[in-house]
Amino acid sequence: MSLVTKPGGRYRSVVDATEIIVVKAAKSPIDLRCGGHPVVAVGDEVPGDLTLDSSFATGTPLGKRFADPDSGLELLCTKAGEGSLSIGTTPLPLKDAKPLPSSD
């Protein structure tokens, strides 16, 4: 399922409590997943028969940013959960923090 993202878009996992918000949209439609299953927009109906895929169960911590340099996508986790974020089957890495300037 390809998803067209836009800044401010809010999505949630269908298998756990994870919720995310789009900080920077992807350049083209993507297959955004959490816990091994496609995410849905917050407020949309969630299928009840899905379970967390153990291959995508490292968790999504609250307040962390995730970014994919290839697609340009950047997400912020607004509610933590057990599932991990991915684009298709490729895990979505945490965004590196910007180094602070030295104070010599």
Side-chain angles (χ1 to χ4, degrees), residues 25-72:
K27 298 171 191 165
S28 60
I30 56 167
D31 181 18
L32 182 59
R33 300 178 181 205
C34 183
H37 300 280
V39 298
V40 295
V42 169
D44 284 0
E45 189 174 327
V46 177
D49 59 342
L50 300 174
T51 58
L52 184 65
D53 182 336
S54 61
S55 302
F56 298 95
T58 57
T60 303
L62 175 67
K64 296 295 182 182
R65 288 181 184 239
F66 295 82
D68 177 45
D70 295 335
S71 68

Side-chain angles (χ1 to χ4, degrees), residues 8-97:
R10 296 176 52 218
Y11 300 95
R12 64 164 296 183
S13 170
V14 296
V15 293
D16 70 355
T18 304
E19 290 188 12
I20 52 176
I21 190 166
V22 177
V23 177
K24 291 182 184 173
K27 298 171 191 165
S28 60
I30 56 167
D31 181 18
L32 182 59
R33 300 178 181 205
C34 183
H37 300 280
V39 298
V40 295
V42 169
D44 284 0
E45 189 174 327
V46 177
D49 59 342
L50 300 174
T51 58
L52 184 65
D53 182 336
S54 61
S55 302
F56 298 95
T58 57
T60 303
L62 175 67
K64 296 295 182 182
R65 288 181 184 239
F66 295 82
D68 177 45
D70 295 335
S71 68
L73 180 69
E74 185 176 328
L75 305 170
L76 172 66
C77 177
T78 57
K79 190 171 183 183
E82 297 173 11
S84 53
L85 298 170
S86 64
I87 295 178
T89 58
T90 305
L92 198 57
L94 276 170
K95 184 176 179 185
D96 293 331

